Amino acid sequence: MTCRVDYNDNTSLQWSNPAQQTLFFGDKKALRDNRIELIRASSQELTIKIGDVSLSDDGLYTCSLFTMPVKTTKAFLTVLGVPSRPEITGFTKPAMEGDIITLTCSTLGSKPAANIRWFRNDKEVQGSKELNATGKSFTVRSSLQFQVDKGEDGVAYTCSVEHVSLSNLYTTTEVLEVHYAPRLEISKPQIDPLEGQYFKLECVSIGNPIPEPVLWSKDGGELPDIERMIVEGRELTITTLNKTDNGTYRCEASNHLGTSTAEYKLFVYAKDFPGPTTDPNALGQHGPDHALIGGVVAVVVFITLCLIIVLGRYLARHKGTYLTHEAKGAEDAPDADTAIINAEGNHLHAEEKKEYFI
């Protein structure tokens, strides 16, 4: 710090600290503080240096010229409080699925107060901030509270501290470990199981700790043919399928949080069965059932023929039976002349039976 005057009649200059303690009077050191050194002293200038500054050096400094009256000028020294590196507390390793945990990030000694930011992996999340003053510096805390699920396993939580005194951010990271009960499912091939075929099932499991060992069973009991049914880790392989392999296969695995099972119902098709496809690239899709289609067509044709026959017999039976009134009796005549006479007779009788209305 430098204090200068344009004109001085050999009167000494003096520097005083915020506590009004004299540091130097001219070239004479007044305060026993090895951090304070004299740089230059003359009738027109007094320059001093303070090394290893601390927050206690922060404040208003006074340069005085002892004339009548005394002349003074003041300078405010601002000392920044560098924050400590952040620390994260509240991690329980491992956390259990369903637990509610609170993570707290703290930094000490900042002036002015530092700013804390939270990141979940690379995405910023908001925490609750707490600020406490300790002398001239601040203690800053920020907290996150959340319920743990299996999706939090392996998630990195980063606390970042920003401050005017820092050229680079202070950061610290903790990775959350979550233990959760196992969940199983059986992965099967994408082709239809055929007799004589190689067939493999895989028991896919998630859980932390990893659920093991994996136990395989068939229809509630042990695997019946260990020579053809080979278990390797999580996989069950049947080297050559046959009809006796039909049934329900189950895999089971556990960790200290629980046990899980998964089932698969196997039905083995005959090689010559027309239903499932034998194309390994057909992804298990079934072609049309030709036997069923043929049966439906045969039934339709049979019903159509029956309808035609019944209709024909009906038409043949009733053909020519609709006679006129005038022809009644002619159908029983022994010859054509008699038929004509009978027909004429009918006409005469018809005339007799006519009634007239006026």
Side-chain angles (χ1 to χ4, degrees), residues 177-301:
E177 180 184 357
V178 180
H179 280 190
Y180 53 94
R183 295 168 179 81
L184 305 182
E185 65 178 19
I186 294 178
S187 173
K188 59 185 182 299
Q190 296 297 315
I191 59 174
D192 296 311
L194 301 176
E195 281 186 306
Q197 191 181 58
Y198 173 93
F199 191 75
K200 181 167 69 175
L201 298 175
E202 181 181 1
C203 187
V204 180
S205 63
I206 60 172
N208 193 16
I210 297 174
E212 54 186 6
V214 174
L215 304 177
W216 285 94
S217 61
K218 178 178 182 288
D219 296 330
E222 296 182 354
L223 297 176
D225 190 344
I226 59 174
E227 292 185 358
R228 287 188 309 109
M229 299 178 177
I230 302 171
V231 176
E232 294 180 343
R234 302 178 180 278
E235 296 181 349
L236 169 62
T237 302
I238 304 176
T239 57
T240 307
L241 285 174
N242 60 48
K243 286 290 187 178
T244 63
D245 297 326
N246 291 344
T248 300
Y249 291 80
R250 171 184 289 187
C251 68
E252 177 180 310
S254 306
N255 62 19
H256 69 278
L257 294 175
T259 300
S260 180
T261 62
E263 292 185 348
Y264 173 76
K265 292 184 178 181
L266 175 63
F267 182 80
V268 180
Y269 294 94
K271 281 187 175 182
D272 55 353
F273 186 73
T277 177
T278 56
D279 181 4
N281 298 314
L283 299 179
Q285 297 178 351
H286 290 216
D289 192 333
H290 299 289
L292 179 62
I293 295 174
V296 171
V297 172
V299 170
V300 172
V301 171

Side-chain angles (χ1 to χ4, degrees), residues 284-340:
Q285 297 178 351
H286 290 216
D289 192 333
H290 299 289
L292 179 62
I293 295 174
V296 171
V297 172
V299 170
V300 172
V301 171
F302 176 76
I303 292 174
T304 303
L305 290 175
C306 289
L307 289 175
I308 292 173
I309 293 172
V310 171
L311 182 60
R313 289 174 61 88
Y314 177 82
L315 292 176
R317 180 179 298 176
H318 293 80
K319 184 177 181 180
T321 60
Y322 297 97
L323 302 176
T324 65
H325 184 76
E326 293 79 4
K328 285 184 177 179
E331 59 183 288
D332 298 324
D335 51 46
D337 293 336
T338 306
I340 293 172

Side-chain angles (χ1 to χ4, degrees), residues 55 79-85 107-112 163 165-166 170:
L55 291 178
V79 179
L80 299 177
V82 181
S84 64
R85 291 191 173 274
T107 180
L108 312 175
S110 60
K111 178 182 173 292
H163 194 260
S165 66
L166 301 176
Y170 283 168

Side-chain angles (χ1 to χ4, degrees), residues 6-289:
D6 294 332
Y7 174 78
N8 187 6
D9 57 357
N10 293 324
T11 302
S12 297
L13 293 168
Q14 174 185 291
W15 272 113
S16 301
N17 65 14
Q20 295 303 309
Q21 296 171 317
T22 300
L23 304 178
F24 274 89
F25 185 76
D27 59 356
K28 301 294 190 292
K29 188 174 185 177
L31 185 66
R32 291 183 179 180
D33 189 336
N34 294 330
R35 299 179 304 120
I36 303 173
E37 299 178 12
L38 178 64
I39 301 300
R40 184 178 294 104
S42 68
S43 59
Q44 294 182 318
E45 179 182 336
L46 180 59
T47 299
I48 64 173
K49 181 178 73 173
I50 304 175
D52 192 20
V53 294
S54 64
L55 291 178
S56 62
D57 297 318
D58 185 269
L60 194 63
Y61 287 76
T62 304
C63 176
S64 303
L65 177 63
F66 286 91
T67 59
M68 292 299 292
V70 176
K71 297 178 181 179
T72 62
T73 186
K74 297 181 182 295
F76 196 93
L77 175 62
T78 299
V79 179
L80 299 177
V82 181
S84 64
R85 291 191 173 274
E87 293 183 359
I88 298 177
T89 58
F91 266 92
T92 55
K93 292 189 176 182
M96 302 297 168
E97 185 176 23
D99 287 352
I100 296 177
I101 64 174
T102 301
L103 305 181
T104 301
C105 179
S106 304
T107 180
L108 312 175
S110 60
K111 178 182 173 292
N115 183 45
I116 293 178
R117 299 171 65 188
W118 280 102
F119 294 88
R120 182 185 183 273
N121 290 333
D122 295 327
K123 183 178 180 180
E124 185 171 3
V125 291
Q126 297 299 318
S128 59
K129 187 176 180 180
E130 179 185 346
L131 189 64
N132 294 313
T134 306
K136 292 185 177 183
S137 66
F138 295 90
T139 297
V140 185
R141 295 183 178 89
S142 181
S143 299
L144 289 176
Q145 187 177 75
F146 53 92
Q147 186 172 26
V148 176
D149 60 28
K150 66 178 185 297
E152 294 289 336
D153 187 42
V155 171
Y157 282 89
T158 299
C159 170
S160 173
V161 173
E162 299 173 333
H163 194 260
V164 64
S165 66
L166 301 176
S167 56
N168 296 309
L169 301 179
Y170 283 168
T171 61
T172 185
T173 300
E174 294 283 354
V175 178
L176 190 60
E177 180 184 357
V178 180
H179 280 190
Y180 53 94
R183 295 168 179 81
L184 305 182
E185 65 178 19
I186 294 178
S187 173
K188 59 185 182 299
Q190 296 297 315
I191 59 174
D192 296 311
L194 301 176
E195 281 186 306
Q197 191 181 58
Y198 173 93
F199 191 75
K200 181 167 69 175
L201 298 175
E202 181 181 1
C203 187
V204 180
S205 63
I206 60 172
N208 193 16
I210 297 174
E212 54 186 6
V214 174
L215 304 177
W216 285 94
S217 61
K218 178 178 182 288
D219 296 330
E222 296 182 354
L223 297 176
D225 190 344
I226 59 174
E227 292 185 358
R228 287 188 309 109
M229 299 178 177
I230 302 171
V231 176
E232 294 180 343
R234 302 178 180 278
E235 296 181 349
L236 169 62
T237 302
I238 304 176
T239 57
T240 307
L241 285 174
N242 60 48
K243 286 290 187 178
T244 63
D245 297 326
N246 291 344
T248 300
Y249 291 80
R250 171 184 289 187
C251 68
E252 177 180 310
S254 306
N255 62 19
H256 69 278
L257 294 175
T259 300
S260 180
T261 62
E263 292 185 348
Y264 173 76
K265 292 184 178 181
L266 175 63
F267 182 80
V268 180
Y269 294 94
K271 281 187 175 182
D272 55 353
F273 186 73
T277 177
T278 56
D279 181 4
N281 298 314
L283 299 179
Q285 297 178 351
H286 290 216
D289 192 333

